[in-house]
Amino acid sequence: MPNPWTGKGNPYTKQEVRDRLQATLDQNRAIIAAGAGTGISAKFIEKGGADLIIIYNSGRFRMSGHGSTAGLMAYGDANAVAMEIGEFEVLPVVEEIPVICGVHGSDPRRRMWHFLGQVKDMGFSGVNNFPTHSIVDGHFRNVLEETGMSFQKEVEMVGLATKMDLFSIVYVAKPEEAVQMADAGADAIIAHVGTTVGGSIGVVNATVDMDSAVEQTQAIIDAVKKSNPDTFFLAHGGPVNTPDDVRIILDRTDAHGFVGASSIERMGVEQSLTDLTKRFKSLTLK
């Protein structure tokens, strides 16, 4: 749906985003969603043919040279950062593909219905639950759940987004979380299997190996398929980093595609800038 004022492709309705993703699957191609922390990343991710661009606060840390996990810490206002990246960097340069806003659904300072209205008015086509408490575990997760900053708040955010005709693509770490999200109207479920490995600021060792990543991803898919078979399923994180890794996931699970943040944006910049600089530095004087 072109914007009536500019002719550009944002925003799209919930169904229009779903139709676009289904068209990708109908062509027997994997769905690829990519995180963007800067306008230039978004511009060239779109040129590369990604199906969706997702903006979350971790992108700012990632492209500032810090680990993406910084996005889970109290280093800034996650919702404000995502909106700022969208308004001033990404939305002005993306021509056609849908842009998704990472929303910290458990933020106690936001009236979520009001904030999602702002997200929609900004020109985003949907929401993602990041920062997400689904990837927090142990005692701290219990404290979050008991003190009103629970994963259920993220589920409620997705339920509101559904009522507001916003597409939703969400992170989950467990089958039961996936079912909660699907019941709330989530369009796409991302099986998050841990922090991405590799590069200068990724983890050295994956929290799970590839076999475990395959098993976790398929368990999440199976749990949702029973109640909502029309859901799109994607993989993210851990040892699933390169195109070859994603090939394994696609071959061994029923996933429809992949969400890459560090895997696409950070890895692409790290190696290409290093190699290009080395080429310049190899020049000698006559």
Side-chain angles (χ1 to χ4, degrees), residues 198-219:
S200 65
I201 50 177
V203 295
V204 176
N205 298 305
T207 52
V208 298
D209 59 22
M210 185 60 79
D211 287 340
S212 296
V214 166
E215 184 179 340
Q216 289 181 28
T217 299
Q218 189 61 45

Side-chain angles (χ1 to χ4, degrees), residues 59-72:
R60 172 157 292 175
F61 293 107
R62 180 168 55 245
M63 300 311 287
S64 296
H66 310 298
S68 298
T69 306
L72 295 172

